[in-house]
Amino acid sequence: MLILRSLSLTFLGLLAGFAAAAQTAAPAAGPQPTTVLSWVVWWLAGVVLLMAIMTGASVTSAAQRRYEAQQADITFSTADASEAPAAPAAPRAAVAEAVPTQVATQEEVYA
């Protein structure tokens, strides 16, 4: 995703630069080429700003959910400890992870 975004922004920057270099100095009727180019540049800037805001909101939301989950875990652990004395809890790293098992499947080989 990061590479796609970088390439997209690079392409749009080059496109805007080539469009600016291709402008003629002769006045024409209707909107001037620099006006149209500025509309395109402002529109692209708006899209980039919108992408930045959405990314920031997503990161903030994920961080907030993780923080709330950690706080709930701490509160839950504290409430359990005050109710009844129990054996010390195992550290998170000591929790047994699921070990993948090998399953023999029959696959067709196309040559």
Side-chain angles (χ1 to χ4, degrees):
M1 179 68 185
L2 184 60
I3 292 173
L4 178 63
R5 184 180 300 167
S6 300
L7 291 176
S8 296
L9 292 175
T10 302
F11 173 74
L12 291 174
L14 289 173
L15 180 65
F18 289 140
Q23 302 299 321
T24 60
Q32 298 297 320
T34 55
T35 304
V36 173
L37 181 63
S38 68
W39 291 343
V40 170
V41 169
W42 281 109
W43 183 81
L44 290 175
V47 169
V48 170
L49 180 64
L50 181 64
M51 287 172 45
I53 290 172
M54 293 302 291
T55 303
S58 175
V59 168
T60 303
S61 175
Q64 182 179 9
R65 277 186 269 131
R66 182 173 177 158
Y67 176 76
E68 288 172 354
Q70 286 177 347
Q71 292 301 316
D73 189 30
I74 291 171
T75 304
F76 183 70
S77 298
T78 308
D80 286 346
S82 64
E83 290 176 5
R92 290 183 187 256
V95 175
E97 295 182 13
V99 178
T101 58
Q102 293 183 352
V103 178
T105 59
Q106 188 173 13
E107 298 180 9
E108 296 181 19
V109 178
Y110 298 101

